[in-house]
Amino acid sequence: MNKDDYLEYIEIDQAKRFGKPTIKGTRITVTDILEMLASGMTQAEVLDEHPNLLAEQVKAALLYAANQLSGAA
């Protein structure tokens, strides 16, 4: 997945979650996904807990965060 791919899954809307990057069509933020994974949840557990999420959206959140940290976004 490259930058163009992950941007199709991430949106920033000031009216949603105070403008935090979220997964399009949800109120789940990139931070929510990162925190779930950091707490020890597997991707499969995240997807089980949030059946409206797709594996590609979780990957997009990770890539978005990585690009933000590297200054590439």
Side-chain angles (χ1 to χ4, degrees):
M1 179 178 297
N2 63 41
K3 182 178 179 181
D4 294 332
D5 293 335
Y6 81 77
L7 289 177
E8 83 180 65
Y9 297 108
I10 305 293
E11 68 181 348
I12 298 174
D13 180 348
Q14 293 302 319
K16 188 187 287 187
R17 300 291 304 264
F18 306 101
K20 294 178 182 177
T22 60
I23 303 300
K24 287 183 181 177
T26 75
R27 294 186 52 80
I28 300 170
T29 65
V30 169
T31 302
D32 293 336
I33 292 172
L34 294 175
E35 288 176 347
M36 286 184 271
L37 294 170
S39 75
M41 291 177 73
T42 65
Q43 179 175 310
E45 290 169 332
V46 171
L47 295 173
D48 284 344
E49 188 169 306
H50 299 279
N52 57 328
L53 277 181
L54 303 172
E56 292 82 12
Q57 293 169 313
V58 174
K59 290 176 190 174
L62 291 170
L63 186 56
Y64 177 86
N67 283 330
Q68 288 295 307
L69 288 172
S70 71

